[in-house]
Amino acid sequence: MDATITADPTVPVIRITRDFHATPAQLLRAHTDPDLYVRWNGPEGTQVRLDRWDAVSGGAWAMTHVHEGQEYGFRGTFHDVSEAGIVQTFEFLGAPGVALETLTFEDLGDGRTRLHAQSLVDSFEARDAWLASGMERGVNDGYAKLDALVEEGAV
C-alpha cells in the first residue's frame, strides 16, 4: 500500500495520507520512541542515526541517514507532541527550505488509523526540490517497514 502524496498548486504544501493497521497510539509511539523510529524511518537500505532525540513539546531532534556511503542530515524541533498528533519543523540539511509539519492520526475504528501529514515549505522551489529528492521512495519504504513492525508486534 503506497502513501498518497500530493502537492497543492496554490500554496507550497506537500500532503501525505496513508492508512495503517494500527491504532493512533501505536502510530504516535512509532513516531516518538527513538528505538522504533530508527527501525522504520527512511528508504530501504538506509541506516538512521539519531544525533539528538527529545520527542516532547519544545524538544528538538537531529538525525543522519547513511545510504550507500553517503550521509544526509536532517534536524528540527518538536512544537507539540500529543495524542492529537505532532507539530514539528523539518529541515533537510543541504537543501533549501524549512518545513512546518503537522501529523495527525485519524482513528478509522477496528484498529486502523489514517495518518495525515502536511508539510508547509517556505517556497514553491523548496517544495519542488523536496518532491524531486526521492522523498516518495523514502516515505513508502519507511511506511512499509512500519507496517512490518506493527505486524510483528514491536509497536
Side-chain angles (χ1 to χ4, degrees), residues 84-101:
I86 298 170
V87 178
Q88 65 182 19
T89 58
F90 184 97
E91 182 179 2
F92 177 13
L93 303 178
V98 175
L100 176 62
E101 293 190 334

Side-chain angles (χ1 to χ4, degrees), residues 19-38:
D19 290 354
F20 291 89
H21 292 280
T23 66
Q26 287 174 300
L27 289 186
L28 178 62
R29 184 168 173 248
H31 282 81
T32 56
D33 181 294
D35 296 328
L36 288 172
Y37 192 79
V38 297

Side-chain angles (χ1 to χ4, degrees), residues 17 19 22 24 27 84 104-109 112-116:
T17 304
D19 290 354
L27 289 186
T104 57
F105 310 110
E106 178 185 358
D107 190 347
L108 301 176
R112 296 178 41 85
T113 300
R114 180 165 295 147
L115 169 68
H116 299 275

Side-chain angles (χ1 to χ4, degrees), residues 14-61:
I14 299 169
R15 291 187 179 91
I16 300 171
T17 304
R18 170 71 151 64
D19 290 354
F20 291 89
H21 292 280
T23 66
Q26 287 174 300
L27 289 186
L28 178 62
R29 184 168 173 248
H31 282 81
T32 56
D33 181 294
D35 296 328
L36 288 172
Y37 192 79
V38 297
R39 292 176 65 186
W40 68 264
N41 184 266
E44 196 65 45
T46 298
Q47 289 187 310
V48 178
R49 182 181 67 233
L50 295 181
D51 304 309
R52 181 176 182 183
W53 191 257
D54 189 17
V56 297
S57 298
W61 61 272

